[in-house]
Amino acid sequence: GEDVEQSLFLSVREGDSSVINCTYTDSSSTYLYWYKQEPGAGLQLLTYIFSNMDMKQDQRLTVLLNKKDKHLSLRIADTQTGDSAIYFCAERSDYKLSFGAGTTVTVRA
Amino acid sequence: DTAVSQTPKYLVTQMGNDKSIKCEQNLGHDTMYWYKQDSKKFLKIMFSYNNKELIINETVPNRFSPKSPDKAHLNLHINSLELGDSAVYFCASSQPGANTEAFFGQGTRLTVV
């Protein structure tokens, strides 16, 4: 998506933390989302954050939001082989989700 | 029970043909979407409907015609298929509003030869 940008690839060792970064442009976005897509599958919502929050933690996932810089990140603690997938950040309006290009995360043993 | 289901899962067809992809959701949502994912995995919205009415049409060619017979269905008909139409098409649904989760179908992989 032209309004949401992500780095395209990330390689991480099993057990390490993964950090996926995203920048967005629409300052009016109230909710920002992270989706996961495994090979050959649809999109699964991982987590989301409301724009008045700086951080949200959900088990191994931590989302950080810097609203001033329009920067969003997703940290996955203790990355496992099952975390290998494409991760999309997305900004939401009432009738539309605008996605970034997706970050392909590869977990190596 | 599958929340958002699309059929078929795979579709291989020749250039110039007309084909349809069906989508149904059993979540009681008012809003449905079609997204296209190209070979580089970019996801781009094509259409969104709310209560059977077209809300967003993101400069999609006229060869693509969505049809929503009721709130639970949003079908995508494509005329005169072209090679560039080859992609994975995802249907999704949600309630309206920026704080609602969108649920996605498993996708339809369309290959035009």
Side-chain angles (χ1 to χ4, degrees), chain A residues 3-4 22-35 45 47-51 65 72 88-100, chain B residues 27 29-35 45 47-50 55-56 92-104:
Chain A
D3 298 323
V4 183
C22 172
T23 57
Y24 61 97
T25 56
D26 187 354
S27 58
S28 66
S29 292
T30 52
Y31 285 86
L32 296 147
Y33 291 78
W34 284 102
Y35 279 82
L45 177 66
T47 187
Y48 65 91
I49 189 166
F50 185 46
S51 60
L65 175 61
L72 181 72
F88 293 92
C89 70
E91 58 181 354
R92 184 92 156 87
S93 61
D94 283 349
Y95 298 107
K96 180 178 171 180
L97 266 168
S98 297
F99 288 92
Chain B
L27 298 165
H29 289 160
D30 290 337
T31 307
M32 295 186 73
Y33 315 80
W34 277 107
Y35 279 83
I45 190 163
F47 302 102
S48 69
Y49 270 69
N50 189 60
I55 303 296
I56 288 176
S93 75
S94 74
Q95 291 294 23
N99 63 337
T100 61
E101 180 178 353
F103 291 81
F104 283 79

Side-chain angles (χ1 to χ4, degrees), chain B residues 6-12 20-22 89 107-109:
Chain B
Q6 300 177 224
T7 53
K9 190 169 181 181
Y10 300 97
L11 184 53
V12 181
S20 291
I21 307 172
K22 294 187 176 181
Y89 292 84
T108 296
R109 182 174 293 277

Side-chain angles (χ1 to χ4, degrees), chain A residues 57-109:
Chain A
Q57 187 153 2
D58 183 0
Q59 299 182 334
R60 292 190 297 123
L61 305 178
T62 303
V63 180
L64 294 177
L65 175 61
N66 181 329
K67 198 174 177 187
K68 175 175 163 289
D69 295 337
K70 298 193 186 71
H71 182 266
L72 181 72
S73 68
L74 174 70
R75 178 177 178 268
I76 306 172
D78 186 25
T79 311
Q80 303 298 307
T81 53
D83 295 324
S84 292
I86 304 175
Y87 291 81
F88 293 92
C89 70
E91 58 181 354
R92 184 92 156 87
S93 61
D94 283 349
Y95 298 107
K96 180 178 171 180
L97 266 168
S98 297
F99 288 92
T103 300
T104 299
V105 173
T106 303
V107 181
R108 60 188 193 279

Side-chain angles (χ1 to χ4, degrees), chain A residues 35-45 86 88, chain B residues 6 9 37 43 88 90-91 104-107:
Chain A
Y35 279 82
K36 177 183 181 182
Q37 185 180 29
E38 295 182 8
L43 286 97
Q44 171 197 355
L45 177 66
I86 304 175
F88 293 92
Chain B
Q6 300 177 224
K9 190 169 181 181
Q37 186 173 42
L43 271 161
V88 181
F90 286 99
C91 177
F104 283 79
Q106 290 301 297

Side-chain angles (χ1 to χ4, degrees), chain B residues 52-72:
Chain B
K52 303 191 297 174
E53 292 199 8
L54 179 67
I55 303 296
I56 288 176
N57 177 342
E58 288 277 310
T59 60
V60 179
N62 291 338
R63 297 183 296 105
F64 291 79
S65 52
K67 289 205 172 29
S68 184
D70 54 58
K71 284 197 318 182

